[in-house]
Amino acid sequence: MEAKFAHIIVFFLLALSFETLMARKESDGPEVIKLLKEFESESWCKGKQFWPELIGVPTKLAKEIIEKENSSINEFPIVLNGSPVPADFRCTRVRLIDNILGVVVQIPRVA
Ligand SMILES: *[C@@H]1O[C@H](CO)[C@@H](O)[C@H](O)[C@H]1NC(C)=O
């Protein structure tokens, strides 16, 4: 009888922690975007600085989407994830960090 009760408690604990995990996952998106928006308004360059929605998108498509959204951005160096990048900064450049499958793996940003 007691063992059964313990099982039920464990089940509830698991269910609860699972729910909080899920809740955190869901709220992460808007929170991150809000943070990025705040950063946007404080940065030197005008307009959109980050494209978090392009993670997982093929690199070439990501380039086309950014070009369409802002035609002043005209440099799109494609960098394999983990490769060193120069530290200089340009408002007209977005580096696309991809993997060997040609998919964007980091949030593209003006840099
Ligand atoms: C496009 O990018 C340029 C350079 O960063 C910026 O000055 C301009 O405001 C941007 N335009 C839009 C519509 O985001």
Side-chain angles (χ1 to χ4, degrees), residues 32-101:
V32 168
I33 288 166
K34 201 178 131 211
L35 250 168
L36 295 178
K37 284 248 162 75
E38 272 165 27
F39 193 87
E40 218 166 78
S41 55
E42 283 170 19
S43 92
W44 305 337
C45 312
K46 298 272 171 275
K48 191 169 175 177
Q49 309 279 297
F50 296 94
W51 286 263
E53 68 274 22
L54 296 182
I55 295 247
V57 167
T59 317
K60 277 185 190 145
L61 181 62
K63 171 180 179 263
E64 282 166 21
I65 291 170
I66 298 170
E67 254 175 347
K68 214 180 212 175
E69 285 187 16
N70 189 340
S71 52
S72 330
I73 296 171
N74 50 25
E75 279 180 86
F76 297 91
I78 294 167
V79 182
L80 189 61
N81 193 21
S83 311
V85 288
D88 63 322
F89 185 91
R90 274 183 225 168
C91 285
T92 55
R93 178 174 61 200
V94 173
R95 285 197 184 94
L96 295 167
I97 316 289
D98 69 357
N99 63 10
I100 53 166
L101 300 176

